[in-house]
Amino acid sequence: MTNEQKNGPPEVGIQLPETKVAGEESLIVNGRWRKTDILHVILRLVCVSTCVIAVSVMVTAKQASTISLYGFSIPVVSKWSFSDSFKYLVGVSAAVAVHSLLQLLINMSRVLRKSPMIPSRNHVWLVFAADQIFAYAMMSAGSAASGVTNLNRTGIRHSSLPNFCKPLHSFCNRVAVSIAFTFFSCFLLAVSAVLDVVWLSKH
């Protein structure tokens, strides 16, 4: 009787393919961060910055001057809080800043733990919905504030209402800067929503 018969049939080694649990991808691939993860962090950081700038510039918009109406010099004071549209812009921008800061902190904590930036599809759907809602809110706030600013610049046709932005140019310029950053924040939220859709289409 041979040794193989004594010891039984020879063992056959079978190497099973490596399995990966969904959502357990490593944050670092071949020693480098994934580009999409870096882009998510940059988008949130820039969005927080633009929203903070939009709010800070708007809440400091205030100016006093005089206008000439029917030959009389009338003192005027303009402040952002006098307009509901401007207050709406400040409120929405502040809410988006908090939302973006929260997402940024979550993303950074995952970076430090080297865990997946996007843990699950449910998480992506939640962030996608929030980004969409806030993007539309920012668009409506910027549009409402733009209407008031345009009225201040052009006045009302066929009436004696003057161009308030001539004597209040500093105020109008600050409002215009705030509106510009508001629309840019809306664009950043839209880009973030597109990235969420791309991730969902691949997983």
Side-chain angles (χ1 to χ4, degrees), residues 53-69:
I53 292 174
V55 172
S56 60
V57 172
M58 180 62 79
V59 298
T60 55
K62 180 181 179 181
Q63 188 179 6
S65 184
T66 59
I67 60 173
S68 178
L69 188 62

Side-chain angles (χ1 to χ4, degrees), residues 56-162:
S56 60
V57 172
M58 180 62 79
V59 298
T60 55
K62 180 181 179 181
Q63 188 179 6
S65 184
T66 59
I67 60 173
S68 178
L69 188 62
Y70 295 115
F72 296 96
S73 294
I74 303 175
V76 292
V77 177
S78 188
K79 188 178 180 181
W80 70 275
S81 58
F82 295 164
S83 171
D84 291 335
S85 297
F86 295 161
K87 289 191 288 186
Y88 175 52
L89 184 146
V90 169
V92 173
S93 297
V96 173
V98 173
H99 164 71
S100 298
L101 179 60
L102 179 61
Q103 294 301 321
L104 176 63
L105 293 177
I106 293 174
N107 292 342
M108 291 303 298
S109 66
R110 294 183 181 280
V111 168
L112 296 177
R113 297 198 309 266
K114 297 182 180 181
S115 59
M117 188 73 71
I118 303 176
S120 65
R121 289 179 63 87
N122 291 336
H123 175 83
V124 178
W125 278 114
L126 181 61
V127 174
F128 170 74
D131 287 340
Q132 285 280 83
I133 292 172
F134 282 122
Y136 287 127
M138 290 291 277
M139 184 180 298
S140 66
S143 299
S146 297
V148 176
T149 302
N150 184 62
L151 180 62
N152 287 338
R153 289 187 181 278
T154 61
I156 298 178
R157 293 180 180 179
H158 310 298
S159 73
S160 59
L161 185 65

